[in-house]
């Protein structure tokens, strides 16, 4: 199992949380399976940017984003060099430190 350390987020995980993820599982899948209600308006089909995250540590352990993911990241709020769509970033055997941005481009939460 791989450890995913989620940094504190005001509404989703105010104290931060450490979860276990399976290699090959997306960051979003692991978060949802562990009760972290990360937004994912397109049901993890790489058709929006609501699951945008920053991979603060371990970014280089992830496979590179494909062209479709890069196109959507261009539309995300607050993109940084370590940005990924959590539905597309597949966990390897290396631990990650993840930060959920304060905002998404979604005006209303989908309440998944």
């Amino acid at each position: 199992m791989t450890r995913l350390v989620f940094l504190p987020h005001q509404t989703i995980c105010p104290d931060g949380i450490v979860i276990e993820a399976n290699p090959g599982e997306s960051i979003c899948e692991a978060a949802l399976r562990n009760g972290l209600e990360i937004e994912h308006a397109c049901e993890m089909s790489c058709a929006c940017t609501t699951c945008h995250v920053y991979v603060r540590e371990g970014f280089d352990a992830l496979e590179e984003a494909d062209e479709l993911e890069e196109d959507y990241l261009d539309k995300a709020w607050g993109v940084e060099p370590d940005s990924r769509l959590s539905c597309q970033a597949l966990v390897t055997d290396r631990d990650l430190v993840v930060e959920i941005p304060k905002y998404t481009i979604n005006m209303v939460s989908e309440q998944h």
Side-chain angles (χ1 to χ4, degrees):
M1 294 288 258
T2 302
R3 284 178 4 126
L4 301 184
V5 177
F6 282 85
L7 298 176
H9 181 277
Q10 185 176 5
T11 56
I12 297 174
C13 55
D15 297 323
I17 190 171
V18 178
I19 64 172
E20 299 287 325
N22 300 306
E25 181 176 37
S26 74
I27 293 171
C28 189
E29 291 169 328
L32 294 169
R33 184 173 50 75
N34 284 277
L36 262 177
E37 293 300 320
I38 191 166
E39 209 169 331
H40 57 290
C42 72
E43 298 300 326
M44 298 182 279
S45 65
C46 196
C48 73
T49 65
T50 59
C51 72
H52 168 232
V53 296
Y54 306 114
V55 181
R56 298 300 190 197
E57 292 180 25
F59 183 85
D60 58 337
L62 301 172
E63 288 190 21
E64 288 188 28
D66 65 17
E67 190 174 333
L68 181 60
E69 181 181 357
E70 291 286 350
D71 288 346
Y72 275 102
L73 279 171
D74 286 341
K75 301 172 187 176
W77 179 90
V79 172
E80 296 182 7
D82 58 358
S83 289
R84 290 297 302 266
L85 296 182
S86 66
C87 71
Q88 299 300 301
L90 302 181
V91 173
T92 63
D93 60 352
R94 193 152 140 220
D95 295 348
L96 303 174
V97 175
V98 179
E99 182 178 358
I100 301 168
K102 187 174 183 178
Y103 302 107
T104 70
I105 62 169
N106 232 15
M107 297 299 286
V108 177
S109 176
E110 300 295 326
Q111 297 298 318
H112 286 281

